[in-house]
Amino acid sequence: MGTWDTGHFDNDSAADFSGRLDDAPEAERPALIRQALELAIAADFLDSDEAAEAVASAALIGSQCPGGEPVTTAYGPKEPLPALPTDLRPLAVKALDAVLGENSEMRELWEGDETWTAGIVRLREVLGAAGA
């Protein structure tokens, strides 16, 4: 995974996921987000590419929550997302827990980087406060 910064979309996997969302019909985008979250939750060992897609998905969900940060990076989706189902919020929290868990390659790669960890924790808090 090529990574250039600590943001939720600042890696090749998240940027590619954004491209797949843009290429999908609008009605199918929530299902792609759900799939990325469920894959992360179900993984025995979460590889960094799958984790990056889960984090990007959680960021997109969080952007539609009260207090959430809009996704303004050039590496996020260019096409607007429909209103995402609120039942994705608890899945996003579980996926972020998996990303931060002991069986996560992404956590291993970012271990000791307080900026990255704080960004994930802040996103989790927004999702949790929104009723996850």
Side-chain angles (χ1 to χ4, degrees):
M1 172 175 71
T3 302
W4 48 88
D5 207 349
T6 60
H8 304 315
F9 293 88
D10 293 342
N11 61 75
D12 289 333
S13 297
D16 290 346
F17 179 71
S18 294
R20 286 196 308 280
L21 285 173
D22 285 338
D23 292 342
E26 183 176 332
E28 293 177 17
R29 293 177 193 151
L32 290 173
I33 290 170
R34 182 181 304 278
Q35 181 180 16
L37 298 173
E38 289 175 344
L39 187 66
I41 293 165
D44 291 328
F45 182 79
L46 183 57
D47 91 3
S48 62
D49 292 327
E50 293 167 347
E53 290 185 12
V55 170
S57 294
L60 293 169
I61 296 163
S63 73
Q64 294 185 2
C65 293
E69 296 181 22
V71 175
T72 58
T73 177
Y75 305 107
K78 311 282 184 274
E79 299 297 321
L81 289 174
L84 297 171
T86 58
D87 72 325
L88 290 176
R89 294 172 183 175
L91 289 177
V93 169
K94 289 178 184 177
L96 292 178
D97 288 344
V99 168
L100 292 173
E102 66 181 51
N103 293 322
S104 169
E105 182 181 28
M106 184 174 262
R107 183 203 46 83
E108 290 174 6
L109 294 170
W110 286 104
E111 193 164 15
D113 189 302
E114 293 178 23
T115 303
W116 178 83
T117 303
I120 300 295
V121 169
R122 188 170 42 256
L123 176 56
R124 192 189 182 289
E125 288 171 354
V126 166
L127 291 160

